[in-house]
Amino acid sequence: MSIAKASSRPRPKRPQVNSSSFDTALGWQPGRTATTLLRAAVCAIILFVFAGPILTIIAGAFDLNPDPTRLTLIPRNPSLENFAVATQRGIWGFFWNSLLIAGFGLLLQIIVAVTAGYALARRKFRGQAIVLGIFLATMMLPEEVVAVPLAVVLGDLPLVGISLRGTIFAVILPVAASAFSILVMAAFMRDIPDEIVEAATIDGASEMRILIEIILPMCKPALGVVAIFGFIGIWDQYLLPIIAANRTSDYMITVALASLRADVQVGTGVLLAGAFLALIPSLIVYLLLQNSLVRGITSGAIKG
Amino acid sequence: MTDQAGEAMTPLVKNAASRPPAASLRRRVRPQSRWWTVWLFLLPALLLFLYFKFIPMFAGIQMSFQKVRPFLGNEWVGWSNYAAVLNDSRFHDAIVHTLILGFGQSIGAVIGGLVLALLLEGASKTLWFVRTAAFLPVVTATAVIGEVWRIIYFPAPNGFLNSAIGSLGLDPVRWLEDPAVALYSVMAVGIWQGAPYNMVIFLAGLAGVDRSLYEASAIDGAKLRHRLWYVTLPALRPAMTIVLVLAAVRSLRVFTDVWVLTGGGPAGATDVWMTRIYSLGFERNQMGIASAASILLLIASIALTALALLITRKRAEK
Amino acid sequence: MFENPNKAGNAIRGLAFLAAALCSSTAMAQDALEVWSRSGPQAAETYKAVFAAFTEKTGIPVEYLATVEFETQLQARAAARDLPDVLIYDQASMASYANAGMILPVVPEDLAGHDQLSEASWDSVRMADGGYYGVPFSQHAQVTFIRSDWREKLGFDVPQTHDDLSALATAFATQDPDGNGVDGDTYGMAVPGTTDRGFFTWWLSSYMMQRGGSFVTGGEGKYTVTVNTPDSVAAVEWIQNLFCGTPSLVQPGALTNASATPFFAENHAGIYQTGPYAIANFDKAPGKDKYEIIIAPAGPGGKTTLTERTSIYFGATSSKPDQQKALAEFLISPEAQSLGMTAPGQPVVRLPVNTTLNAAEIYGDDRWAVVADQLTDSQLMPSDVDFTTARLDIAETFQSMFSQCTSDIQGQLDGLAGRISDELSQQNALQ
């Protein structure tokens, strides 16, 4: 039984008055003042610890001269000057590069994950275990250790003989296949009841149509997980855009952040303004997809 | 790939590996298609992996046996790069740091995630909001996290964390500067980032705990801690084991957290395997030795993962 | 090439656009001269102005890359055996590139205008074997920046000696130079103590020399390791005391990755020994009228500081020897040298190597005369042998000693001396 699904199962009504205390492991009892106060305190602490540091980035970004030694949640000298300086340093160009790379990279990653996940989950073939092993092996391989040989490949694609360096493909293609995404998709597709697919097959639908019209809509939570982690994974790339670039204008925003830190001409505020910009897209993606994220992680994770 | 993603894969790995001939369990329906179409579906992934993972990896294996000098000709040096790694005392230190950091971070993130899940379990909108906010560290780019934590850890008495512990009457700590403390400061950031992720997994686990068991234990007169210990934790155990074991394996590769916070310093106190490799390869131009160290890391990761899979599979069969 | 977002409205058009981008970029790389420098965005602006003038004059297009990840990117390109045509980089890296066969020898006499460069400049780009592997482009000595407003407020004179200097630093750290109360938010010195690229070694070497110590001595490709001699040990003891003696004498975080510059710029540290490239920045914050640039206060060993040089190197895989040469000739000409000092951005030519020019006149700023003055009493780190490994090792060892406030300085330095000797003897550079 999938434990995650238990949450959606309607619970039997309990006769006891204090039944709500059995809804949570700690036995919180909503409605009681003591509980409410305690929970409020707990929530405040958790918010402070986990969201506070992120908020200080935002405060610093809008502060004319943030103190590098101290953090505030509210800018002391509110100003957009930091963003003006960051704009002068061409931060929007790097931001755009990042968006373009993350967007196209993610699109490709999803296509690759869906097709490969489908093959792994819905088909039986000779060498399946080997293919799975190959996918797993790629997850063991830290990106940093293959950086230099990868740079050689990017500069002269074996057999094809073209150079990807300085093109958007040099960053997109290496991140387009992700074993994590493939495995998430496979885990979801495996659980789709055969009867549904069977019915479509009898209808005479082609394999591709079944994948797109029947299977894919049932994997929405998995697509959410893949989209969020895929996006953040690509957005976070640092080494790859460096070795793949031909010109400074090819860099992604992560690299631009490092050069802002190294730039003696700008202060902490400009750096935080850059960090703020780097934060926004992943935040948006997360907020948009978070419901499927929770369902995706959990139904993928707590099974078997 | 983010660290969190690495964690997420773990149960899936188990899933996939423990029943690879999935089809044998039920009858798989194959729409009218020939045997080779499955390879068409796999082709994009395999091709991309071949070009961008395996060809570089084999080049790396080759380099690990060479003195790498692209313009003067590479020189074959046999096993001497491997010997250089295994005999290097700084690598020995780095292995110790890697293990301390890896296990501390994994265990801390699991315990932290469990505590968060217990505290934030519930259906109200407010709790949903807090859970959403607590998840922010997971989705924030590592480079950004490095910036903010360096400010939090500012070592002067008026630094953020120092003034906080100062109000408790404690002396200021040089969080990232004191060789005795730096590794644990880095560990704390890792836990901060990992705990909310585990929280989500544990929340799902908690939702699945049979409510009647809580009621039964209450009728038996069990205290809260008994209830947690005998009812809640056993229900979460399957999730916990696998998350913990494989997170530990993954942590062998810990790099960005350390790199953005300390760069391996001060005085090598936070030097881990990957930072060692990076600085040998890119700062000291010792590509051959760096490659040898990378291959050793890869072998260790694969061996430990295989071991972890074996163990969990055995448990599953019991 | 990543521009023009809106056209990617649908997948097919998007891909077509990408394919076009791919083709255009390779075509462009064919005829332009590829030039790299290790620069932040501001310096990059200045370089762009210089290269634009070059293209205007010669018709040779330049494809320019300014990166703060110079080494990483260069490693990647070296592995692919596809180097940029021209590299503009720190003199300290020349020997390692030359030994690896990555850069081409230069014949000074073949370059028009070579005689406008001083003997000392040409000596700096000569390897131990007598061959020249670079063309000098910029030079300067590290100078001492002092918050004059703080100094005057606390009633101190311009420091002349090391004793003056540490008294001033102590006053900055323990008193209230910024007028917001004695609250421990001001520090004596800003120190760039990061081991990244061995950066700490640069800062250390000036104070080592001023205290009568040194890392190595010698020249012409043969060196003796002197880092563990009694003089050097005494020098290190004095420097360690800056970190381990009076609290707050050195800014917190000095020994980790954090940059020291913001501490001076953002009113937290009062003394900073660094290169004059910081002038443009510090004129904005803390402000031109709030600081002064002085010749290093004298220690027992004098007031010598470190010479820093930037040179032009020719990538070994280049197929454009004439264009390489044309660019180098242009870059050492009075026109380009002046432009490198004055074009908007940050001076990439700090002091001209072209002897026909006067820096203070071109800048219209007497502070550059101080820099020029200090240059006459400054010394270059060994650059005719590969000192990279030694430099990293020095930075790491000193960082380790100072972060632990070790009592065993002699022992640590003996160990360091042994490792530097091994490294030099491998290069046959040990005297």
Side-chain angles (χ1 to χ4, degrees):
Chain A
M1 178 196 78
S2 162
I3 296 175
K5 283 180 189 142
S7 55
S8 54
R9 187 187 56 198
R11 274 183 213 139
K13 287 223 171 86
R14 298 188 188 86
Q16 291 97 327
V17 188
N18 62 342
S19 70
S20 61
S21 72
F22 302 119
D23 280 349
T24 57
L26 288 184
W28 299 107
Q29 295 187 19
R32 282 229 215 141
T33 320
T35 301
T36 312
L37 285 179
L38 190 61
R39 284 215 113 161
V42 165
C43 288
I45 292 171
I46 291 174
L47 278 181
F48 179 73
V49 170
F50 288 94
I54 314 286
L55 289 181
T56 60
I57 296 175
I58 301 170
F62 289 98
D63 199 330
L64 183 58
N65 253 325
D67 190 328
T69 66
R70 289 176 202 177
L71 293 170
T72 50
L73 293 176
I74 301 154
R76 274 168 291 210
N77 303 309
S79 151
L80 288 175
E81 173 68 18
N82 292 328
F83 290 93
V85 178
T87 305
Q88 269 173 29
R89 295 293 196 274
I91 196 88
W92 293 104
F94 301 119
F95 182 76
W96 177 248
N97 286 349
S98 277
L99 272 188
L100 203 61
I101 288 170
F104 277 106
L106 184 60
L107 186 71
L108 242 110
Q109 198 183 89
I110 289 175
I111 294 172
V112 170
V114 166
T115 52
Y118 173 80
L120 275 183
R122 308 295 309 181
R123 295 281 297 262
K124 187 188 170 192
F125 57 97
R126 208 179 291 188
Q128 197 154 18
I130 296 172
V131 169
L132 190 64
I134 287 175
F135 288 172
L136 288 178
T138 63
M139 302 183 75
M140 306 289 131
L141 193 70
E143 274 143 16
E144 291 81 8
V145 310
V146 291
V148 163
L150 179 60
V152 178
V153 171
L154 293 177
D156 180 15
L157 220 53
L159 298 179
V160 190
I162 54 171
S163 166
L164 297 178
R165 213 191 297 118
T167 72
I168 188 171
F169 293 109
V171 190
I172 288 180
L173 290 182
V175 296
S178 151
F180 167 72
S181 302
I182 294 172
L183 292 177
V184 170
M185 291 311 306
F188 258 81
M189 292 181 177
R190 200 171 282 126
D191 278 357
I192 294 170
D194 286 344
E195 294 72 31
I196 298 177
V197 181
E198 221 161 334
T201 313
I202 292 163
D203 284 353
S206 74
E207 196 166 10
M208 208 59 190
R209 246 187 78 192
I210 291 175
L211 172 58
I212 293 171
E213 289 176 11
I214 314 262
I215 295 184
L216 218 47
M218 301 184 74
C219 296
K220 272 186 189 148
L223 289 172
V225 181
V226 168
I228 290 184
F229 284 110
F231 186 89
I232 294 167
I234 300 173
W235 193 263
D236 223 3
Q237 289 290 333
Y238 183 77
L239 204 51
L240 186 58
I242 289 175
I243 60 171
N246 252 348
R247 283 178 288 185
T248 320
S249 57
D250 298 350
Y251 284 158
M252 289 173 72
I253 195 164
T254 40
V255 187
L257 273 188
S259 69
L260 277 184
R261 193 192 313 149
D263 189 346
V264 296
Q265 309 253 327
V266 306
T268 313
V270 179
L271 181 59
L272 290 177
F276 173 73
L277 286 180
L279 182 64
I280 294 299
S282 19
L283 268 190
I284 293 175
V285 170
Y286 165 56
L287 291 175
L288 286 179
L289 296 175
Q290 61 159 330
N291 284 335
S292 64
L293 175 84
V294 172
R295 276 171 64 204
I297 293 176
T298 53
S299 53
I302 321 283
K303 255 192 305 197
Chain B
M1 174 81 36
T2 64
D3 294 343
Q4 291 74 33
E7 247 168 77
M9 73 76 162
T10 55
L12 300 163
V13 172
K14 177 189 156 219
N15 235 347
S18 59
R19 41 171 201 183
S24 65
L25 299 177
R26 325 167 211 166
R27 193 170 58 87
R28 279 284 177 235
V29 181
R30 259 167 282 163
Q32 317 84 328
S33 58
R34 300 181 183 278
W35 65 270
W36 47 263
T37 52
V38 74
W39 295 102
L40 275 186
F41 280 106
L42 288 170
L43 188 68
L46 289 175
L47 208 59
L48 288 167
F49 281 141
L50 173 71
Y51 268 106
F52 302 112
K53 299 278 184 190
F54 289 102
I55 290 178
M57 188 178 82
F58 287 119
I61 294 174
Q62 195 182 6
M63 277 159 64
S64 74
F65 293 102
Q66 289 173 331
K67 190 174 165 118
V68 179
R69 299 174 308 175
F71 290 90
L72 305 170
N74 293 345
E75 189 184 322
W76 195 262
V77 293
W79 293 97
S80 80
N81 286 334
Y82 287 89
V85 173
L86 295 174
N87 293 326
D88 183 352
S89 66
R90 296 192 58 171
F91 258 107
H92 301 163
D93 293 346
I95 291 172
V96 174
H97 296 152
T98 309
L99 293 178
I100 295 176
L101 192 63
F103 281 99
Q105 243 170 30
S106 318
I107 293 169
V110 166
I111 294 175
L114 185 59
V115 171
L116 279 178
L118 288 174
L119 290 175
L120 295 179
E121 190 188 3
S124 81
K125 270 274 171 206
T126 322
L127 288 170
W128 173 86
F129 173 77
V130 177
R131 286 196 296 260
T132 303
F135 201 73
L136 283 178
V138 182
V139 294
T140 308
T142 321
V144 177
I145 285 176
E147 298 306 331
V148 69
W149 276 92
R150 269 208 304 275
I151 298 177
I152 292 175
Y153 278 146
F154 193 75
N158 62 11
F160 182 77
L161 196 52
N162 273 336
S163 37
I165 68 165
S167 59
L168 301 174
L170 298 170
D171 287 334
V173 178
R174 296 183 305 154
W175 300 101
L176 294 171
E177 278 218 301
D178 185 339
V181 180
L183 191 61
Y184 301 97
S185 305
V186 173
M187 192 186 288
V189 178
I191 293 172
W192 177 78
Q193 236 194 325
Y197 186 86
N198 292 339
M199 170 188 79
V200 173
I201 294 178
F202 286 130
L203 276 172
L206 287 174
V209 176
D210 193 343
R211 293 305 184 252
S212 61
L213 289 176
Y214 288 163
E215 265 174 80
S217 72
I219 292 162
D220 292 346
K223 293 210 174 66
L224 179 61
R225 65 190 153 92
H226 292 137
R227 167 162 130 182
L228 283 179
W229 190 255
Y230 293 110
V231 181
T232 312
L233 281 184
L236 295 177
R237 197 166 292 144
M240 204 169 330
T241 327
I242 192 82
V243 165
L244 198 59
V245 174
L246 285 159
V249 176
R250 169 186 58 79
S251 62
L252 287 180
R253 306 194 311 245
V254 62
F255 175 67
T256 16
D257 302 17
V258 181
W259 193 251
V260 297
L261 282 170
T262 62
T270 57
D271 223 357
V272 290
W273 204 332
M274 277 303 304
T275 58
R276 216 47 232 130
I277 291 174
Y278 194 83
S279 85
L280 267 177
F282 288 107
E283 290 189 340
R284 297 190 184 224
N285 301 346
Q286 303 274 16
M287 260 313 153
I289 299 178
S291 300
S294 311
I295 301 303
L296 288 174
L297 175 63
L298 185 62
I299 293 170
S301 304
I302 291 177
L304 276 175
T305 312
L307 191 71
L309 287 176
L310 208 68
I311 292 168
T312 44
R313 202 166 168 179
K314 277 236 172 85
R315 290 169 72 108
E317 278 165 12
K318 261 180 213 167
Chain C
M1 100 206 40
F2 295 168
E3 64 260 29
N4 204 352
N6 305 325
K7 286 197 180 157
N10 61 49
I12 295 165
R13 268 160 70 195
L15 283 173
F17 147 66
L18 291 174
L22 173 71
C23 298
S24 68
S25 97
T26 32
M28 202 168 154
Q30 296 289 303
D31 43 282
L33 194 66
E34 194 179 8
V35 183
W36 285 15
S37 76
R38 185 185 197 284
S39 311
Q42 280 299 90
E45 289 305 310
T46 313
Y47 274 116
K48 276 181 206 154
V50 174
F51 298 140
F54 169 70
T55 305
E56 176 126 335
K57 189 164 178 171
T58 61
I60 302 170
V62 168
E63 183 159 329
Y64 170 56
L65 179 131
T67 174
V68 291
E69 295 284 357
F70 193 90
E71 289 83 356
T72 306
Q73 208 152 357
L74 192 63
Q75 280 275 353
R77 291 287 288 267
R81 294 182 50 83
D82 178 15
L83 293 172
D85 298 301
V86 175
L87 300 100
I88 302 178
Y89 194 48
D90 202 295
Q91 176 58 35
S93 294
M94 180 186 75
S96 112
Y97 295 162
N99 287 344
M102 283 162 58
I103 54 176
L104 298 171
V106 174
V107 183
E109 289 75 25
D110 284 358
L111 294 175
H114 71 92
D115 48 349
Q116 293 183 351
L117 270 53
S118 71
E119 193 111 337
S121 288
W122 282 114
D123 281 349
S124 73
V125 291
R126 196 173 60 214
M127 285 284 287
D129 64 7
Y132 295 86
Y133 281 86
V135 179
F137 177 58
S138 164
Q139 56 181 349
H140 66 261
Q142 292 202 342
V143 286
T144 307
F145 290 71
I146 301 223
R147 278 298 289 264
S148 46
D149 57 335
W150 288 13
R151 178 179 61 70
E152 281 155 17
K153 179 166 183 291
L154 301 182
F156 281 80
D157 291 330
V158 174
Q160 302 290 333
T161 67
H162 273 191
D163 288 345
D164 297 348
L165 188 74
S166 43
L168 185 63
T170 310
F172 284 167
T174 55
Q175 297 180 32
D176 180 28
D178 59 351
N180 66 352
V182 182
D183 53 0
D185 68 348
T186 53
Y187 309 98
M189 304 170 103
V191 176
T194 171
T195 55
D196 186 25
R197 294 184 302 124
F199 204 73
F200 197 20
T201 309
W202 270 287
W203 180 88
L204 284 165
S205 65
S206 293
Y207 286 107
M208 285 291 279
M209 290 187 279
Q210 289 160 27
R211 299 302 299 182
S214 51
F215 301 131
V216 295
T217 53
E220 306 290 321
K222 292 289 179 192
Y223 291 90
T224 312
V225 180
T226 50
V227 75
N228 59 342
T229 60
D231 284 346
S232 297
V233 173
V236 175
E237 277 166 358
W238 185 86
I239 299 172
Q240 179 169 305
N241 202 40
L242 296 177
F243 292 84
C244 300
T246 316
S248 304
L249 199 67
V250 167
Q251 100 275 15
L255 296 176
T256 52
N257 268 0
S259 161
T261 309
F263 285 86
F264 193 84
E266 291 166 13
N267 306 315
H268 288 288
I271 300 170
Y272 189 20
Q273 182 197 257
T274 186
Y277 37 75
I279 288 178
N281 181 34
F282 291 156
D283 279 355
K284 267 189 267 168
K288 195 171 182 174
D289 51 336
K290 290 192 174 139
Y291 74 97
E292 61 202 346
I293 294 168
I294 63 167
I295 299 275
K303 47 189 185 173
T304 311
T305 64
L306 180 74
T307 317
E308 295 180 299
R309 283 180 166 278
T310 309
S311 307
I312 304 155
Y313 311 114
F314 296 161
T317 53
S318 172
S319 57
K320 307 185 182 71
D322 294 337
Q323 288 95 319
Q324 283 178 322
K325 212 173 125 236
L327 181 62
E329 284 171 348
F330 178 73
L331 288 177
I332 60 174
S333 71
E335 180 193 352
Q337 293 261 304
S338 314
L339 205 53
M341 289 186 265
T342 54
Q346 179 188 333
V348 295
V349 174
R350 282 74 191 244
L351 289 177
V353 292
N354 191 307
T355 50
T356 61
L357 300 175
N358 178 318
E361 272 173 29
I362 293 170
Y363 283 113
D365 184 344
D366 282 342
R367 295 177 299 180
W368 284 94
V370 178
V371 183
D373 231 11
Q374 181 79 66
L375 184 66
T376 61
D377 188 358
S378 70
Q379 206 182 321
L380 196 65
M381 220 177 275
S383 71
D384 53 354
V385 298
D386 184 359
F387 208 61
T388 315
T389 307
R391 192 176 72 226
L392 287 163
D393 207 346
I394 292 168
E396 284 164 13
T397 307
F398 277 65
Q399 188 192 61
S400 164
M401 286 194 296
F402 296 168
S403 64
Q404 287 161 336
C405 294
T406 182
S407 53
D408 183 26
I409 291 177
Q410 181 76 56
Q412 296 262 0
L413 292 180
D414 285 344
L416 176 63
R419 293 194 297 277
I420 300 177
S421 295
D422 288 348
E423 171 65 25
L424 290 179
S425 76
Q426 268 180 28
Q427 296 181 42
N428 199 19
L430 202 60
Q431 201 157 40

